[in-house]
């Protein structure tokens, strides 16, 4: 039997291009642990920068096809798709102290106005990323209207205190912190700006987050003290903007986009929520107008991360404490939410690589080193 050589496998994989970055997997350092046994069984690992990479299956099949073509004696191929999330906690061109040493990426989920489903998107984004195997945390930074306890079905949880630091509550694979865990449910939070800012700083510096791939901040709507405190206190990887399609929402979104740009926080992209309602006959009713968010993103030169349909089940998921992507897995809306999470992960990979493809961050970002 002719022996398959490692050099043959490497040569084959050098013909496989990363779909977005247009470089081969070998030169990008994505190929590791090539092994060939006496029966010419070949195994190796492809290392992505996020377990949520939507191109995972495409890349795997391309590797198999290349080896079948250029090393036909290879038998019983085993391609292990793994990941190592890269760190992007820093503004471009700036060196900023990192108070969260174990957190690789910090993402702000923001909106220009209330009522657009920002918390729903943040929750389902966090859960979707966790379901891919990523280590995820979620901070409910809306101190005046905390919704995370309700949306995760955690009503009586009180975080433990260890070495004077709070230990996050955990559910559905996501570490959680909210002012709602620390006060009575029916107690109003009446704080002026400095007090709110201090609370946000405590969520950052006095919580044992441990090692996380992604820490998501569900911000209050608008561009006030809490938003500014966040961007001034920690180095953000980037921001995700949530809107609905109608003009009145987009006018406020423009202010949020402007704020993040002024403080040099990369905008990972925009999610259009409540895009349409699917009627029983399969047609779509564009209740709030059609494609307003997508057109806005294009005009602003930022990535469009997806359109999320409106549906009663989404609201019920928030009220019942079971996030929609878990309670209604396999539905059109759950698939749309999962795709948006994948696109966020891709944008983070692109941002961390310091790459751009013509817009602020293209939707065609890479999942590799």
């Amino acid at each position: 039997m002719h022996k398959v050589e490692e050099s043959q496998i490497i040569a084959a994989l050098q013909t496989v291009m990363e779909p977005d970055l247009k470089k081969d997997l070998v030169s990008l350092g994505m190929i590791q642990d090539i092994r060939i046994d006496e029966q010419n069984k070949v195994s190796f690992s492809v290392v992505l920068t996020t377990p949520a990479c939507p191109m995972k299956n495409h890349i795997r099949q391309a590797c198999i096809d290349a080896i079948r073509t250029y090393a036909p004696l290879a038998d019983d191929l085993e391609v292990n798709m793994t990941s190592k999330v890269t760190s992007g906690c820093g503004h471009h061109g700036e060196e900023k102290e990192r108070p969260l040493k174990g957190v690789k990426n910090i993402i702000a989920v923001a909106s220009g106005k209330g009522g657009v489903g920002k918390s729903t998107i943040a929750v389902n984004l966090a859960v979707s990323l966790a379901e891919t195997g990523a280590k995820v945390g979620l901070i409910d930074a809306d101190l005046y209207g905390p919704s995370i306890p309700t949306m995760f079905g955690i009503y009586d949880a009180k975080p433990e205190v260890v070495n004077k630091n709070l230990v996050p509550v955990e559910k559905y694979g996501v570490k959680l912190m909210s002012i709602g865990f620390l006060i009575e449910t029916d107690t109003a939070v009446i704080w002026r700006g400095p007090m709110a800012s201090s609370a946000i700083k405590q969520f950052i510096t006095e919580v044992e987050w441990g090692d996380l791939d992604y820490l998501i901040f569900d911000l209050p709507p608008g561009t006030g003290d809490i938003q500014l405190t966040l961007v001034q206190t920690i180095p953000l990887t980037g921001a995700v903007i949530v809107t609905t399609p109608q003009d009145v929402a987009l006018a406020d979104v423009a202010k949020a986009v402007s704020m993040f740009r002024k403080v040099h926080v990369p905008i990972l992209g925009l999610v259009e929520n409540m895009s349409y309602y699917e009627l029983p006959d399969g047609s779509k009713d564009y209740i709030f107008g059609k494609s307003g968010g997508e057109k806005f993103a294009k005009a602003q030169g930022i990535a469009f991360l997806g359109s999320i349909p409106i549906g009663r089940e989404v609201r019920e998921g928030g009220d019942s404490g079971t996030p929609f992507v878990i309670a209604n897995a396999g539905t059109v809306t759950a698939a749309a939410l999962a795709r948006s999470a994948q696109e966020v992960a891709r944008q983070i990979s692109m941002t961390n690589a310091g790459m751009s493809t013509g817009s602020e961050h293209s939707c065609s970002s890479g999942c590799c080193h």
Side-chain angles (χ1 to χ4, degrees):
M1 177 185 292
H2 291 288
K3 186 76 166 64
V4 175
E5 302 294 335
E6 181 175 322
S7 59
Q8 292 177 278
I9 303 301
I10 292 174
L13 295 174
Q14 283 176 327
T15 70
V16 180
M17 308 299 287
E18 204 286 331
D20 300 317
L21 301 182
K22 310 303 181 187
K23 295 181 180 179
D24 72 89
L25 304 187
V26 175
S27 65
L28 288 168
M30 296 177 68
I31 305 300
Q32 294 183 3
D33 301 326
I34 298 176
R35 299 185 182 185
I36 306 167
D37 70 9
E38 293 303 319
Q39 284 72 45
N40 284 338
K41 177 181 178 180
V42 176
S43 67
F44 58 92
S45 297
V46 179
V47 184
L48 309 173
T49 57
T50 173
C53 179
M55 304 299 291
K56 184 185 299 184
N57 292 334
H58 173 88
I59 293 172
R60 181 181 185 277
Q61 189 59 51
C63 290
I64 293 172
D65 293 343
I67 292 175
R68 295 291 188 211
T69 300
Y70 295 97
L73 293 179
D75 189 32
D76 194 12
L77 297 178
E78 182 181 337
V79 184
N80 303 306
M81 305 301 292
T82 64
S83 64
K84 183 179 180 181
V85 178
T86 55
S87 177
C89 289
H91 297 177
H92 289 189
E94 291 185 19
E95 289 294 329
K96 179 169 281 197
E97 183 182 355
R98 291 180 56 188
L100 296 169
K101 303 295 185 184
V103 178
K104 294 181 178 178
N105 296 285
I106 302 174
I107 309 158
V109 179
S111 66
K113 67 189 297 294
V116 299
K118 172 185 51 60
S119 293
T120 296
I121 297 298
V123 165
N124 284 280
L125 170 63
V127 172
S128 294
L129 289 173
E131 286 195 315
T132 70
K135 298 176 182 178
V136 183
L138 175 61
I139 292 180
D140 188 351
D142 191 350
L143 301 180
Y144 303 107
S147 55
I148 296 304
T150 299
M151 300 183 84
F152 276 85
I154 305 173
Y155 304 103
D156 300 317
K158 298 297 179 185
E160 294 183 26
V161 179
V162 177
N163 297 325
K164 297 183 179 180
N165 284 344
L166 294 170
V167 177
V169 177
E170 188 167 346
K171 193 168 184 180
Y172 303 125
V174 180
K175 292 183 178 181
L176 305 165
M177 185 52 61
S178 171
I179 194 68
F181 297 146
L182 306 176
I183 62 173
E184 297 300 322
T185 306
D186 56 354
T187 301
V189 176
I190 306 174
W191 288 343
R192 294 188 182 276
M195 295 175 67
S197 298
S198 176
I200 291 299
K201 289 179 180 177
Q202 286 182 299
F203 280 178
I204 298 168
T205 60
E206 297 179 19
V207 175
E208 291 290 347
W209 289 108
D211 294 330
L212 293 176
D213 296 318
Y214 306 103
L215 178 59
I216 298 168
F217 275 79
D218 178 18
L219 294 179
T223 55
D225 290 337
I226 291 177
Q227 290 86 341
L228 292 174
T229 295
L230 180 62
V231 299
Q232 291 168 356
T233 303
I234 56 174
L236 292 174
T237 303
V240 173
I241 310 295
V242 181
T243 187
T244 45
Q246 73 270 37
D247 290 344
V248 68
L250 294 170
D252 290 324
V253 165
K255 298 175 185 176
V257 169
S258 176
M259 180 199 74
F260 284 116
R261 283 176 168 163
K262 284 181 178 178
V263 293
H264 308 294
V265 172
I267 298 172
L268 300 172
L270 180 142
V271 177
E272 183 186 88
N273 195 27
M274 308 183 202
S275 297
Y276 60 86
Y277 179 75
E278 188 167 340
L279 299 170
D281 64 0
S283 62
K284 298 175 181 178
D285 185 358
Y286 295 91
I287 301 171
F288 298 114
K290 187 176 181 179
S291 302
E294 186 172 5
K295 293 173 184 175
F296 176 88
K298 185 176 181 180
Q300 290 284 331
I302 59 180
F304 183 65
L305 302 174
S307 301
I308 312 301
I310 187 172
R312 181 175 60 190
E313 295 84 358
V314 179
R315 189 273 305 165
E316 290 175 344
D319 289 347
S320 70
T322 306
F324 186 88
V325 292
I326 293 177
N328 297 272
T331 63
V332 171
T333 302
L337 287 163
R339 282 195 301 271
S340 291
Q342 291 174 339
E343 290 300 331
V344 170
R346 294 174 77 184
Q347 293 301 318
I348 290 171
S349 294
M350 179 66 83
T351 300
N352 292 348
M355 302 189 67
S356 177
T357 57
S359 62
E360 183 159 343
H361 296 294
S362 167
C363 233
S364 299
S365 356
C367 301
C368 61
H369 292 277

